[in-house]
Structure formats: C-alpha cells, structure tokens
C-alpha cells in the first residue's frame, strides 16, 4: 500500500500525484498542514529530517524528494518503461531535467511562496533566477516537443508544475511561446489531473 | 571517446573524474578556466546554457549536471551495476542522495567559493545551511555505512566532495564523527583519486 504525505497546493507533491494518476496506481493521501508548518514538526521530521514534502511510503520503503520518488514510481509501475527508460543515455538525458526541476525551477516555487503564503524571501532575486531558467527551457523547447527524448518522461513532470504556476509567483510566461505550447501538451496527456493553479486542458 | 569539460578545483567535476577512475574509463579533459569565468562565455554556454561545469560528451551525447552524468556513467560502464543498480527501490534510495548532493550540499560549495575565490555571497547563511545538511548526514550515517544501500553508490559520490571540503568553506567537521568515518571509507575505495582539498587515504 502506497501512502503519500501530501499537500494540495504543493507543486512538488503534485508531481507525484500526476505520475501516480497517469500510471493508474492507487494510493492513500496523508494531508500535511504545510501552512501551519506541520512539515517542520518533530513528528514529520522523523519521516524526513530535511522537513520537506512530499514523503512517500510503500511497505518498508520510505522516500523523500519528488525527483527520487518519480524515478522509483516510473521504474516500478510503468511496464513499457517510457517515462524512465532503462537505457543509460536516456536516463542521463532525463536526469538533467530532474535536476532542473529540483533546482533552478524551485526559484519559481519560492516566488510563489512569497506571493501566496507571505514567505520572507528575496522576491526579485527568485523571479530573476526563475526567468533565467524559463528562457533556457523556452530555447530548448523551440526545437524539442518534450524536454528529454521524443516523448514525455519524468523529466517533463519534474519541470511542469513550477513552470505552469509561474504566474502565481508574479512571473508572466508571455515571452515564452515554446513553453506555453509544451504546457498545453502536458495538459493533454492521458491521465492528466489538474491542481489549484494548474487548470485542465 | 569521452570528453569532460573540467576544472581541477571543482568538486562537481571531481565527482565525474572519481567515478571514471573507479570504473576504469578513459577520457579526455578539456580544462575550463573557471576563475576567469570561461563557463559564462558564449562559447561554453552553447554547450550548457546554464553556464555550469562539468559538461560531458561521448560521441553524439552531451550531458550537463554532475548527477545526471553519474547516472549515465554508472549505468553504462559498471557491468556489475553496484553503483547504480537497476532495481527501482534502490534507484529511489540513491536518487534521494543525488538530490542532496546537488542541492543542500551545494551550500558548502558556495561557502567555499566565498572563501577561496572571494565570491560575493552570504557566507553565514551558506555555512548555516551546509551545517544543517551535515547534521542530517551525520545522524543518518550513525546507523548506515553508506548513504544508500549496504555498499557505495553514486549517491555517496554525489555527496562526497563538498562534504570533504567543508573546511575550505570555514565549516569544521569536528561535530560529525559519523561523517568523518564515512569520508575515510570513501578515501579507501579502490580507484579513489585525490583532488586539491581532498587528500588520499
């Protein structure tokens, strides 16, 4: 039985919900009160000492970090292995975008925390860093339908939510037509689910 | 033929040199003048628009991001698949530490850039964030010989250099005996190579 420590408004948690739904995997949600900082309580830090959501459990396995969870799920529950192929070169290509989703694009997540939860962070700096990453994504997507390979992978899922929700951090995506095309393609994937801030197709 | 765009003093590049040496893989180095910011020139940004080293090339494949390169190399050149096993749960466990090596522990890398290259960054903040990560690593290593699984993996390699070089960022490892034991184990690995700031066993 899979248990996901989850928060509705978290783009990082949504990455996991989205892949679980695409792959048709059942799971139980354990809602974490992120607004009230439940993820920084002793109880939650016993599950993940980094104090971050999501956390994933299945039988004896417990994983933190959205990107690590995507790797596990796509390796285990996608028999066709299109989301995380076994080929080393394909894994390397995808892993680049897992890193981007967990690093540079988290600046967009930070800007959103300032805007929607009044976090005391340097908003202009976060917006500038996110915009720099968006410019790179847009240039890449000019010549590619998906971030890695010729079809959607967990690299796309890792980069999707905090790009799609850039507006909630005060960053307009108007300058990035190729990103907007890619976001629309993501919304049309079989098994796509929306979240607050990311409407359906 | 493998080409590594490399800089001697970069811990991120050293991750790749270390795994290449452990696996006995030949390669050519292309030295990047990081001090003179060659990684921010148009020429280099054409290889990696994020403007970061290392960059890896082999035949038609080009990869950025140290962690992505580790995944590729261990998948391709370790026939025993101990450094990056094929099992999804093992990959998930390891990928958690790839993220830590590319995220939280980069605060230690940042502190080191302030100390050795006079970067204009918030040193106390970087040192505090790195120390928080070291405390988590130390607690984890109290009950584990290696970060993931029962043997060394690319998760250990990803976290090794900027932990080993904490002192160069002004962060003492005295409070972390389990980290110091793990660092000593890393230095005894067959195929280990030193770098400036990381002496041999």
């Amino acid at each position: 039985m899979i248990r996901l420590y989850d928060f509705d408004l978290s783009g990082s948690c949504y990455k996991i919900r989205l892949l679980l739904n695409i792959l048709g995997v059942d799971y139980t949600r354990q809602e974490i009160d992120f607004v009230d900082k439940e993820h920084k309580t002793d109880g939650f830090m016993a599950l993940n000492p980094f104090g971050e959501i999501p956390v994933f459990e299945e039988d004896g396995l417990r994983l933190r970090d959205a990107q690590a969870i995507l790797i596990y799920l796509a390796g285990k529950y996608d028999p066709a292995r299109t989301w995380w192929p076994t080929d080393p070169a394909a894994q390397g290509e995808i892993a680049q975008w897992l890193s981007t989703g967990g690093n540079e694009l988290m600046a967009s997540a930070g800007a959103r925390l300032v805007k929607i939860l009044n976090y005391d962070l340097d908003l202009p700096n976060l917006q500038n860093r996110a915009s720099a990453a968006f410019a790179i994504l847009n240039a890449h997507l000019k010549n590619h339908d998906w971030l890695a390979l010729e079809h959607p992978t967990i690299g796309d899922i890792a980069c999707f939510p905090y790009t799609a929700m850039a507006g909630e951090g005060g960053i307009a995506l108007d300058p990035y037509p190729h990103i907007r095309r890619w976001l629309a393609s993501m919304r049309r994937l079989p098994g796509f689910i929306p979240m607050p801030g990311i409407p359906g197709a």
Side-chain angles (χ1 to χ4, degrees), chain A residues 1-3 55-63 72 76:
Chain A
M1 176 52 110
I2 291 174
R3 177 184 301 264
V55 166
F56 175 97
E57 291 178 343
E58 182 172 13
D59 306 322
L61 179 69
R62 180 183 298 140
L63 295 175
Y72 168 71
K76 176 133 182 183

Side-chain angles (χ1 to χ4, degrees), chain A residues 28-83:
Chain A
T28 302
R29 295 181 67 242
Q30 171 81 38
E31 180 83 10
I32 297 298
D33 188 345
F34 186 86
V35 176
D36 229 19
K37 299 211 182 300
E38 184 179 353
H39 56 300
K40 301 299 184 189
T41 59
D42 289 349
F44 187 83
M45 302 274 277
L47 301 177
N48 178 7
F50 288 94
E52 290 173 348
I53 48 175
V55 166
F56 175 97
E57 291 178 343
E58 182 172 13
D59 306 322
L61 179 69
R62 180 183 298 140
L63 295 175
R64 61 178 168 84
D65 186 75
Q67 283 61 238
I69 300 166
L70 291 176
I71 285 177
Y72 168 71
L73 285 174
K76 176 133 182 183
Y77 290 107
D78 171 24
R81 289 303 294 260
T82 66
W83 291 91

Side-chain angles (χ1 to χ4, degrees), chain A residues 138-153:
Chain A
N138 189 62
H140 180 77
L141 288 165
K142 183 176 180 181
N143 303 309
H144 298 83
D145 287 340
W146 307 97
L147 289 175
L149 311 189
E150 301 295 312
H151 55 78
T153 68

Side-chain angles (χ1 to χ4, degrees), chain A residues 123-195:
Chain A
L123 182 62
N125 176 268
L126 290 165
Q127 290 173 328
N128 287 340
R129 285 166 45 207
S131 296
F134 292 146
I136 293 170
L137 251 71
N138 189 62
H140 180 77
L141 288 165
K142 183 176 180 181
N143 303 309
H144 298 83
D145 287 340
W146 307 97
L147 289 175
L149 311 189
E150 301 295 312
H151 55 78
T153 68
I154 56 172
D156 296 288
I157 291 181
C159 292
F160 175 64
Y162 292 115
T163 303
M165 294 191 287
E168 294 199 350
I171 306 162
L173 292 177
D174 304 73
Y176 312 119
H178 308 295
I179 285 181
R180 285 185 277 117
R181 188 258 309 144
W182 168 72
L183 294 176
S185 300
M186 290 293 293
R187 287 198 193 92
R188 287 192 299 267
L189 288 172
F192 179 85
I193 46 169
M195 72 166 271

